Amino acid sequence: MPYRFADIILPVAVRGRFTYSIPDNLKGSIMPGTRVLVQLGNRKLYSGIVARLHNETHGLKNIRPVMELSERVPVVNEKQLKFWHWMAGYYMCSEGEVMNAALPSVLLPDGVTSSPVIDRYKPREERFIELARHFSDGELNDILDKLRKAPKQEQTLSAYLHLTGYNPGSEIVPVRRSLLLKESSTASGVIDALTDKGILSSVSLKVTRLNEPDTVQEPLRKLSENQQLAFKSIKSKFTLNEIVLLHGVTSSGKTEIYIHLIEEQLKLGKQVLYMLPEIALTTQIILRLRKHFGSVTGVYHSRFNEQEKAEIWNRVAVENTDTGYRLILGVRSSLFLPFSNLGLVIVDEEHDGSYKQHDPAPRYQGRDSAIMLAAIHEAKTILGSASPSIESYHNALNGKYGLETMKERFGKINLPSMIIANTREAYRKKQMVSHFTPELLHAVDDALGQNEQVILFQNRRGFSPYIECPECGWIPVCVQCAVNLTYHKGINKLVCHYCGYNTPVPSKCSSCGSTGLATRGFGTEKIEDEIKIVFPSAVTGRMDQDTTRNRNAFSKIIKAFEEHRIDILIGTQMISKGLDFENLTVVGILNADNMLNYPDFRAHERSFQLMEQVSGRAGRRNKQGKVIVQTSDPANKIIRLVVRHDYEGLFRLQAEERKVFNYPPFCRMIRITLKHKERASLNHYADILGGDLKTTFGKRVLGPEFPVISQIQLWYIKTLLLKIEKEKPLAKVKEMIQESIARLEKEKGAGALRIAIDVDPN
Ligand code: ADP
Ligand code: ZN
Ligand code: ZN
């Protein structure tokens, strides 16, 4: 008997699915994963996805019917529905919010609409020319003879035959009209004349919007002895564990091992997802992958437009065809692609904070979600890093994950030598040149002298983090956020890095009227300016959010550096990860202090990872690299560990601290953020929620308190943090939190409040 009801996911933040009845004419054709049109509330029509069919009314009355089935084929498969369901539950949001993050908008047109929606994904079509029908040898000769009088037409037909290698009996092959015009060096009218005569005909064909360079395929490289050992050992660990952590020093050849694992999966007919934390990294690795795996390799990230995203989506969905993708390289959002048959998920640089989505919901951790996705597909997961997250290493040591370690660089090149440059002492001795210590300048000078390249890392963009009146101490702040404005010299503006607000640089202090405003601190822009003064003949480049707004900017800068058109590249954390440059020997870390002093329990772990990562860019091919770390605190424990590349030391130190102060992985954290435009109201509601949660969870609740940045875009912010023991049943805890929030939402005036829940925040 066909089902009578459908539970539907709608793109709204309300938790739960919506039940509709299935009209008779749609019985049998509505299936889980299909897209339907329904009415919610008074007049609003929504596109939604069918999650489940059943015959239970749950006592509901007046169940509305589904209005329309948009297409007969499902848009998402059952594994995706499972994944969405898990994500909504785990990260405490609605399935509709997950769906919004997952589906390219052209596959799920806007929620609110008053007329039936149409499928807005249209593949691009282009004009092609082909032979009007099969011709025999004799016929073709006749035609060519007759065309003697029209040499242009003859030329065009010959060009077509040449391009397609046509011979009678073979298939008719269409050629792009534009290509034929170019090859025959004739005008459009000539082609038209031939089609009028019934010799050629014009067809319109779907073509890809994705511009994919053709690459020549190469066989895989042979693994070194060490790599071979690791490769075999990973595979044998997979027989015991679904998840293996590959802890390999920078340049140990992890990527090459992934490539060999991918090859095996593709041969088995499986799909592979290869995740990276940042778009910038995909540009280099994609070339490495396409070289071996050709056109089954696709890339996915947020820089594609919605049409392109839809096309990539479709190509993953049709995996076993000529145009299908079976290997996807992507950032965290690629988890949502319509995989049906994953065999392996690779999470490279698994420690990276960029895997976490902060806003909007779903606030998911890409690495952890990848593990879940793999589990749904019964696939294996490999987590790779030179400095794993404390959580993952903890899981590896306690046996939850398999652990594979590689301590040697490929080609037995030494890890870079680390030189600590004491900025405090250099300032005292008046040896600093601008923001550069003598050690740094010396190393850069050396490298440039030998025609080698340099990377300078500074984790702040802009020219200087703030400007200040030296007379009275006045600092310009954002009008909407509780943060100092950053000075950007190139555009001569003060910019808020939280909301984008910007304003011309004031000529005088608005507190005391003094005119000598001074810049304080430094960002990438200033470093570039000043290094140019010190090394006027070197070519510099800069890679940060400001220089990479343009869609192809990443690859342009990376290519310029690869081709040595840039000598010194200055950048933020974008340049710290995964990139592989042949001629790069010196890396300078300009200010280790501001990372270490960041007020967060992960600051030390992050600083270590960042420094280890960025130093890993140096000396990867032929020669040992050199890293200069500038700090005012050379005795700092973390700096000492970085100098020795001592990850185990870092882990012991961090694990000890986190146990003592009760942080993950020894507890779970859930953060609730409240926002309100009025400070007093925010305090009021935050206290209500805090009090309510404390009656249930007692001392596990911390706050409410104002975070470091207490106002963004005019919204005041307060947070509550829950630390829950690992042994406690998480689902129950979440339910109780939801109940508290539901009670708060019923308070008078609580409608003006914004509430966000973040599970496993970072
Ligand atoms: P990781 O991912 O650990 O940083 P990579 O896989 O990028 O390391 O390898 C580091 C360098 O060594 C790269 O330049 C890579 O091309 C080279 N390399 C690694 N393995 C091999 C191999 N088996 N044959 C040839 N070159 C290799
Ligand atoms: Zn702002
Ligand atoms: Zn002043």
Side-chain angles (χ1 to χ4, degrees), residues 13 38 54 77 79 104 108 130 187 215 239 249 254 292 299 346 365 369 401 450 452 458 563 603 608 629 631 729 742:
V38 296
H54 59 88
N77 62 43
K79 284 178 179 149
L108 191 84
E130 59 184 20
T215 41
T239 59
V249 297
K254 296 185 289 298
H292 301 304
V299 185
I346 299 161
Q365 179 14 297
S369 305
Y401 303 164
Q450 303 193 39
E452 293 163 358
Q458 167 60 7
E563 293 171 357
F608 180 94
V629 183
T631 173

Side-chain angles (χ1 to χ4, degrees), residues 478 480-481 483 496 498-501:
C478 179
Q480 312 193 82
C481 312
V483 291
C496 173
Y498 286 83
C499 72
Y501 166 83

Side-chain angles (χ1 to χ4, degrees), residues 468-475 508-515 517:
E468 189 182 40
C469 170
E471 301 296 321
C472 73
W474 175 76
I475 296 172
K508 53 185 201 292
C509 171
S510 62
S511 171
C512 75
S514 147
T515 51
L517 294 178

